[in-house]
Amino acid sequence: MKHKYIVVTGSLMSGLGKGIVTSSILKLLKLYGVKSLPIKFDGYLNYDCGTMNPFRHGEVFVLDDKGEVDMDFGNYERFLNESVSSELSITGGKLFSEVISRERRGEYLGRDVQIIPHITDYLKSRIKDVAERKKLEVLVIEVGGTVGDIENSYFIEAMRQLSSEEDVTFINLTYVPELEGVGEQKTKPTQIALRSLMQMGIQPKFIICRSQRPLEESTREKIALFASIKPQRVIDDSEIKNIYELPIKLMRQNFDKMLLEELGFENRKMDKKGLKSWKNFVNFLNDGVRNRARVAVVGKYVKLRDSYASVKEAVTHAAYANDAKVDLDWIESETLEGKSGSEIKNILDSYDGIIVPGGFGKRGIEGMINAIEFSRENDRAYLGLCLGMQLMAIEYARNVCKLKNANSSEFDPKTKHEIIGLMEDQKSVKLKGGTMRLGAWPVQISKGTLAYDAYGSQKASERHRHRYEFNNKYKQLLSRNGLVISGTSPDKRIVEIIEWSSRLGIGTQAHPELKSRPEDPAPLFRAFMKAAVEHNRKVSS
Ligand code: GLN
């Protein structure tokens, strides 16, 4: 089978939304029934994202197969509505460590091992191997970073070589700035960026332009001239209200048709139902809705919104499922520390629901516990994600079961009441990379619980990323005091879901946000949002 390749590069600066462009291309190909998957290359020398601080790099995304990958994978899965595997993530670290192990095994015996041809050959063989094994019609390769970075230069070189062996279409994303007051879109940076791409032997077939305003015709023509392509292949990527709109915006400019033609798939028919389902979601995001809810995420990495990218998306999907317009605020948990109950109430009272997301380390923990206490005592919907579930248990132990200073040994190693402790099999772990409890694990859910209502089943599978767990020694005491343990691992050793019995408060040891998709919202988010909407209705009536 002959495979085709699309390579997406970015010029001038990071943060232009290359991941969204790549996801949109994947979505369009899927809608036309073209079997395709992404590969993402990141030049850094980390083996994977597992050891990166979300503050610096955004969320660490976890796949079913335990892979800790770049947050772009979240968008790939959300757009494709499919789970993908971590072999689709190639980092500089993985690449070099593989080539060096080969060298140690003597696979290059007698040769000096070089970037070209050894690294580039290995890259090409890996990419071709994925296309072959997964029987792909098109493999869409996103090159992380910006053209001109040292970190991705050898990868771009490998893609140039690939283009002389295979059918490769290059697409470049660029930025068209405009100085305030001047009112003119400037193409010079793009001209220079194109020159450097072409110097590397790469001729893009499409140029996608981010800009503040829609592309002017003259801008389009000028870029086309310098890129040696037709003006209609210079695509406007300005002014979308939400990321999910991009596939539709691309279609409006006939990008889908031109791309199919370029790939030789012009006969493919659009899946009209699939398109309608996507458009319904996009229209929902842009238009009026029936219900409302105000939700606060109380976390410790809120200054960098990307740290909680999947939480934000899962909230949006749950809003869609509940036909609700959600005002979502981000509250730095440290700002809730050292405050009285009435001060906390002043800050949080306008919210119908509170989410405490995942996190590591002591900073901000007490603020989150204050938010949980407020939520429980004031009848608000609560959703605790991983750390948020652990803190829900601690709050319950302290304030309902009166276990003074109850804590997790992660934050207070000497705590008298270790409600949350290091998992048994983590105790001997010394290495930091890839050693947490990771990936998809089954959850067994008890009937007659909120969790059962949400999942509609006694079985679920969710993705995990943690080292600590609920201490089973406290199971009885907390249950006796009304905390419901509604989900465990099938062998019952790990507490997976807890809930308050009287109102919607759920904490899960998993990260259900990682599997939430517009076309398949995460059940716990959906249930949380339903409760938040009900609360909103109650207080507004
Ligand atoms: N720090 C906690 C643990 O390791 C929670 C992790 C998380 O929220 N992902 O168990």
Side-chain angles (χ1 to χ4, degrees), residues 143-179:
V143 186
T146 310
V147 174
D149 294 348
I150 291 182
E151 279 83 1
N152 62 23
S153 53
Y154 58 86
F155 189 87
I156 296 182
E157 164 60 13
M159 295 303 98
R160 182 196 65 79
Q161 295 176 16
L162 187 73
S163 69
S164 63
E165 300 162 20
E166 303 285 336
D167 187 342
V168 180
T169 301
F170 287 97
I171 298 179
N172 189 245
L173 175 64
T174 185
Y175 181 57
V176 180
E178 187 170 336
L179 288 179

Side-chain angles (χ1 to χ4, degrees), residues 358-360 385-387 390 410 465-468 509 511:
F360 295 81
L385 307 166
C386 199
L387 175 68
Q390 298 177 352
E410 180 180 2
R465 184 172 189 259
H466 62 118
R467 292 187 200 283
Y468 289 81
Q509 187 56 80
H511 288 279

